[in-house]
CSV table of all heavy atoms in Angstrom, one decimal:
chain,number,residue,atom,x,y,z
A,216,ARG,N,2.9,0.6,-2.9
A,216,ARG,CA,3.3,1.4,-1.7
A,216,ARG,C,3.6,0.7,-0.4
A,216,ARG,O,3.4,-0.6,-0.3
A,216,ARG,CB,2.0,2.3,-1.3
A,216,ARG,CG,0.8,1.5,-0.8
A,216,ARG,CD,0.7,1.4,0.7
A,216,ARG,NE,-0.4,0.4,1.0
A,216,ARG,CZ,-0.1,-0.8,1.4
A,216,ARG,NH1,1.2,-1.3,1.2
A,216,ARG,NH2,-1.1,-1.6,1.8
A,240,ALA,N,3.0,-0.6,-11.7
A,240,ALA,CA,2.4,-1.4,-12.8
A,240,ALA,C,2.3,-0.5,-14.0
A,240,ALA,O,1.9,0.7,-13.8
A,240,ALA,CB,0.9,-1.7,-12.3
A,256,SER,N,-2.7,-9.8,-18.8
A,256,SER,CA,-1.6,-9.8,-17.8
A,256,SER,C,-1.0,-11.1,-17.8
A,256,SER,O,-1.5,-12.0,-17.1
A,256,SER,CB,-2.1,-9.2,-16.5
A,256,SER,OG,-0.9,-9.4,-15.7
A,257,PRO,N,0.2,-11.4,-18.4
A,257,PRO,CA,0.6,-12.8,-18.4
A,257,PRO,C,1.1,-13.1,-17.0
A,257,PRO,O,1.4,-14.4,-16.8
A,257,PRO,CB,1.9,-12.6,-19.3
A,257,PRO,CG,2.2,-11.2,-19.6
A,257,PRO,CD,0.9,-10.4,-19.2
A,258,GLN,N,1.3,-12.1,-16.1
A,258,GLN,CA,1.7,-12.5,-14.7
A,258,GLN,C,0.6,-13.4,-14.0
A,258,GLN,O,0.7,-14.1,-13.1
A,258,GLN,CB,2.0,-11.4,-13.9
A,258,GLN,CG,3.4,-10.8,-14.1
A,258,GLN,CD,3.6,-9.4,-13.7
A,258,GLN,OE1,2.8,-8.5,-14.0
A,258,GLN,NE2,4.6,-9.2,-13.0
A,259,THR,N,-0.7,-13.2,-14.5
A,259,THR,CA,-1.7,-14.0,-13.8
A,259,THR,C,-2.4,-15.0,-14.7
A,259,THR,O,-2.6,-16.1,-14.3
A,259,THR,CB,-2.9,-13.0,-13.5
A,259,THR,OG1,-2.3,-12.0,-12.6
A,259,THR,CG2,-4.0,-13.6,-12.8
A,282,GLY,N,-11.9,-13.2,-11.5
A,282,GLY,CA,-10.4,-13.3,-11.6
A,282,GLY,C,-9.8,-11.9,-11.5
A,282,GLY,O,-10.6,-10.9,-11.3
A,283,TRP,N,-8.7,-11.7,-12.1
A,283,TRP,CA,-7.9,-10.4,-12.0
A,283,TRP,C,-8.6,-9.3,-12.8
A,283,TRP,O,-8.4,-8.1,-12.4
A,283,TRP,CB,-6.5,-10.6,-12.4
A,283,TRP,CG,-6.3,-10.5,-13.8
A,283,TRP,CD1,-6.5,-11.5,-14.8
A,283,TRP,CD2,-5.9,-9.4,-14.7
A,283,TRP,NE1,-6.2,-11.1,-16.0
A,283,TRP,CE2,-5.9,-9.8,-16.0
A,283,TRP,CE3,-5.6,-8.1,-14.4
A,283,TRP,CZ2,-5.5,-8.9,-17.0
A,283,TRP,CZ3,-5.3,-7.2,-15.4
A,283,TRP,CH2,-5.4,-7.6,-16.6
A,284,ALA,N,-9.3,-9.7,-13.8
A,284,ALA,CA,-10.0,-8.6,-14.7
A,284,ALA,C,-11.0,-7.7,-13.9
A,284,ALA,O,-11.3,-6.7,-14.3
A,284,ALA,CB,-10.7,-9.4,-15.8
A,286,TYR,N,-10.3,-6.1,-11.3
A,286,TYR,CA,-9.8,-4.9,-10.9
A,286,TYR,C,-9.7,-3.8,-12.0
A,286,TYR,O,-10.4,-2.7,-11.8
A,286,TYR,CB,-8.2,-5.0,-10.4
A,286,TYR,CG,-8.2,-6.0,-9.2
A,286,TYR,CD1,-8.2,-7.3,-9.2
A,286,TYR,CD2,-8.1,-5.2,-8.0
A,286,TYR,CE1,-8.0,-8.0,-8.0
A,286,TYR,CE2,-8.1,-6.1,-6.8
A,286,TYR,CZ,-8.0,-7.4,-6.8
A,286,TYR,OH,-7.9,-8.2,-5.7
A,309,LEU,N,-1.1,-5.3,-19.4
A,309,LEU,CA,-0.6,-4.8,-18.1
A,309,LEU,C,0.8,-5.6,-17.9
A,309,LEU,O,0.9,-6.8,-18.0
A,309,LEU,CB,-1.5,-5.1,-17.0
A,309,LEU,CG,-1.1,-4.8,-15.5
A,309,LEU,CD1,-1.2,-3.4,-15.3
A,309,LEU,CD2,-1.8,-5.7,-14.6
A,310,TRP,N,1.8,-4.8,-17.5
A,310,TRP,CA,3.0,-5.4,-17.1
A,310,TRP,C,3.4,-4.7,-15.7
A,310,TRP,O,3.5,-3.5,-15.7
A,310,TRP,CB,4.2,-5.2,-18.1
A,310,TRP,CG,5.4,-6.0,-17.7
A,310,TRP,CD1,5.8,-7.2,-18.0
A,310,TRP,CD2,6.5,-5.4,-16.9
A,310,TRP,NE1,6.9,-7.5,-17.5
A,310,TRP,CE2,7.4,-6.4,-16.8
A,310,TRP,CE3,6.8,-4.1,-16.3
A,310,TRP,CZ2,8.6,-6.3,-16.2
A,310,TRP,CZ3,8.0,-4.1,-15.7
A,310,TRP,CH2,8.9,-5.1,-15.5
A,311,SER,N,3.6,-5.5,-14.6
A,311,SER,CA,3.8,-4.9,-13.2
A,311,SER,C,5.0,-5.5,-12.7
A,311,SER,O,5.3,-6.8,-12.8
A,311,SER,CB,2.6,-5.1,-12.4
A,311,SER,OG,2.9,-4.7,-11.1
A,313,VAL,N,5.4,-4.8,-9.2
A,313,VAL,CA,5.1,-4.8,-8.0
A,313,VAL,C,4.7,-6.2,-7.5
A,313,VAL,O,3.9,-7.0,-8.2
A,313,VAL,CB,3.8,-4.0,-7.6
A,313,VAL,CG1,3.5,-3.9,-6.2
A,313,VAL,CG2,3.9,-2.5,-8.2
A,314,PRO,N,5.5,-6.7,-6.5
A,314,PRO,CA,5.3,-8.3,-6.1
A,314,PRO,C,3.7,-8.3,-5.7
A,314,PRO,O,3.2,-7.5,-5.0
A,314,PRO,CB,6.1,-8.4,-4.9
A,314,PRO,CG,7.0,-7.2,-4.9
A,314,PRO,CD,6.4,-6.1,-5.5
A,315,LEU,N,3.1,-9.4,-6.2
A,315,LEU,CA,1.7,-9.7,-6.0
A,315,LEU,C,1.4,-10.3,-4.6
A,315,LEU,O,2.3,-11.2,-4.2
A,315,LEU,CB,1.1,-10.6,-7.0
A,315,LEU,CG,0.4,-10.0,-8.2
A,315,LEU,CD1,1.5,-9.4,-9.1
A,315,LEU,CD2,-0.3,-11.2,-9.0
A,316,GLY,N,0.5,-9.8,-3.9
A,316,GLY,CA,0.1,-10.5,-2.5
A,316,GLY,C,1.2,-10.4,-1.6
A,316,GLY,O,1.1,-11.2,-0.7
A,317,SER,N,2.0,-9.4,-1.5
A,317,SER,CA,3.0,-9.3,-0.5
A,317,SER,C,2.7,-8.1,0.5
A,317,SER,O,3.7,-7.7,1.2
A,317,SER,CB,4.4,-9.1,-1.0
A,317,SER,OG,4.6,-10.3,-1.9
A,318,GLY,N,1.6,-7.5,0.4
A,318,GLY,CA,1.3,-6.4,1.3
A,318,GLY,C,1.8,-5.1,0.6
A,318,GLY,O,1.8,-4.1,1.4
A,319,LEU,N,2.2,-5.1,-0.6
A,319,LEU,CA,2.8,-3.8,-1.1
A,319,LEU,C,1.9,-3.2,-2.2
A,319,LEU,O,2.3,-2.3,-3.0
A,319,LEU,CB,4.2,-4.2,-1.8
A,319,LEU,CG,5.2,-4.7,-0.8
A,319,LEU,CD1,6.5,-5.3,-1.5
A,319,LEU,CD2,5.4,-3.8,0.4
A,320,SER,N,0.8,-3.8,-2.3
A,320,SER,CA,-0.4,-3.1,-2.9
A,320,SER,C,-0.3,-3.2,-4.5
A,320,SER,O,-0.5,-2.2,-5.2
A,320,SER,CB,-0.6,-1.7,-2.4
A,320,SER,OG,-2.0,-1.4,-2.6
A,321,SER,N,0.0,-4.4,-5.0
A,321,SER,CA,-0.1,-4.6,-6.3
A,321,SER,C,-1.4,-4.3,-6.9
A,321,SER,O,-1.7,-3.9,-8.0
A,321,SER,CB,0.4,-5.9,-6.7
A,321,SER,OG,-0.6,-7.0,-6.2
A,322,SER,N,-2.4,-4.5,-6.2
A,322,SER,CA,-3.8,-4.4,-6.5
A,322,SER,C,-4.1,-2.8,-6.8
A,322,SER,O,-4.7,-2.5,-7.8
A,322,SER,CB,-4.9,-4.9,-5.7
A,322,SER,OG,-4.7,-4.4,-4.4
A,323,ALA,N,-3.7,-2.0,-5.9
A,323,ALA,CA,-4.0,-0.5,-6.1
A,323,ALA,C,-3.1,-0.1,-7.3
A,323,ALA,O,-3.6,0.8,-8.0
A,323,ALA,CB,-3.6,0.2,-4.8
A,325,LEU,N,-2.4,-1.6,-10.0
A,325,LEU,CA,-3.0,-2.0,-11.2
A,325,LEU,C,-4.3,-1.1,-11.3
A,325,LEU,O,-4.5,-0.5,-12.4
A,325,LEU,CB,-3.4,-3.4,-11.0
A,325,LEU,CG,-4.7,-4.1,-11.7
A,325,LEU,CD1,-4.6,-3.7,-13.2
A,325,LEU,CD2,-4.7,-5.6,-11.5
A,364,GLU,N,-12.3,-1.9,-6.1
A,364,GLU,CA,-11.9,-2.9,-5.3
A,364,GLU,C,-12.7,-3.6,-4.4
A,364,GLU,O,-12.9,-4.7,-4.1
A,364,GLU,CB,-10.5,-2.4,-4.6
A,364,GLU,CG,-9.8,-3.5,-3.8
A,364,GLU,CD,-8.4,-3.4,-3.7
A,364,GLU,OE1,-7.8,-2.7,-4.4
A,364,GLU,OE2,-7.8,-4.3,-2.8
A,370,ALA,N,-13.0,-7.0,-2.4
A,370,ALA,CA,-12.0,-7.0,-1.4
A,370,ALA,C,-12.1,-5.8,-0.5
A,370,ALA,O,-12.3,-4.6,-1.0
A,370,ALA,CB,-10.5,-6.8,-1.9
A,372,THR,N,-11.2,-3.2,1.4
A,372,THR,CA,-10.0,-2.2,1.6
A,372,THR,C,-10.5,-0.8,1.8
A,372,THR,O,-11.5,-0.5,1.4
A,372,THR,CB,-8.8,-2.3,0.7
A,372,THR,OG1,-9.4,-1.9,-0.6
A,372,THR,CG2,-8.3,-3.7,0.7
A,376,ASP,N,-4.4,2.5,0.1
A,376,ASP,CA,-3.5,2.0,-0.9
A,376,ASP,C,-3.7,2.9,-2.2
A,376,ASP,O,-2.7,3.3,-2.8
A,376,ASP,CB,-3.9,0.6,-1.3
A,376,ASP,CG,-3.7,-0.4,-0.2
A,376,ASP,OD1,-3.2,0.0,0.9
A,376,ASP,OD2,-4.2,-1.5,-0.3
B,684,LIG,P1,-1.5,-6.9,-2.8
B,684,LIG,O1,-2.4,-5.6,-3.2
B,684,LIG,O2,-1.0,-6.6,-1.4
B,684,LIG,O3,-0.4,-7.2,-3.7
B,684,LIG,P2,-4.1,-8.1,-3.1
B,684,LIG,O4,-4.5,-9.6,-2.7
B,684,LIG,O5,-4.8,-7.0,-2.6
B,684,LIG,O6,-2.5,-8.1,-2.7
B,684,LIG,O7,-4.0,-8.0,-4.7
B,684,LIG,C1,-3.4,-9.0,-5.4
B,684,LIG,C2,-4.3,-9.3,-6.6
B,684,LIG,O8,-4.4,-8.2,-7.5
B,684,LIG,C3,-3.9,-10.4,-7.5
B,684,LIG,O9,-4.4,-11.7,-7.0
B,684,LIG,C4,-4.5,-10.2,-8.9
B,684,LIG,O10,-5.9,-10.5,-9.0
B,684,LIG,C5,-4.4,-8.6,-8.8
B,684,LIG,N1,-3.2,-8.2,-9.5
B,684,LIG,C6,-2.2,-7.5,-9.0
B,684,LIG,N2,-1.2,-7.3,-9.8
B,684,LIG,C7,-1.6,-7.9,-10.9
B,684,LIG,C8,-0.9,-8.1,-12.3
B,684,LIG,N3,0.2,-7.7,-12.6
B,684,LIG,N4,-1.6,-8.9,-13.2
B,684,LIG,C9,-2.8,-9.5,-13.0
B,684,LIG,N5,-3.5,-9.2,-11.9
B,684,LIG,C10,-2.8,-8.5,-10.7
Side-chain angles (χ1 to χ4, degrees):
R216 63 96 190 96
S256 169
Q258 276 159 313
T259 300
W283 81 279
Y286 294 89
L309 179 77
W310 186 88
S311 174
V313 184
L315 267 68
S317 304
L319 301 175
S320 213
S321 68
S322 61
L325 156 52
E364 180 144 352
T372 59
D376 304 346

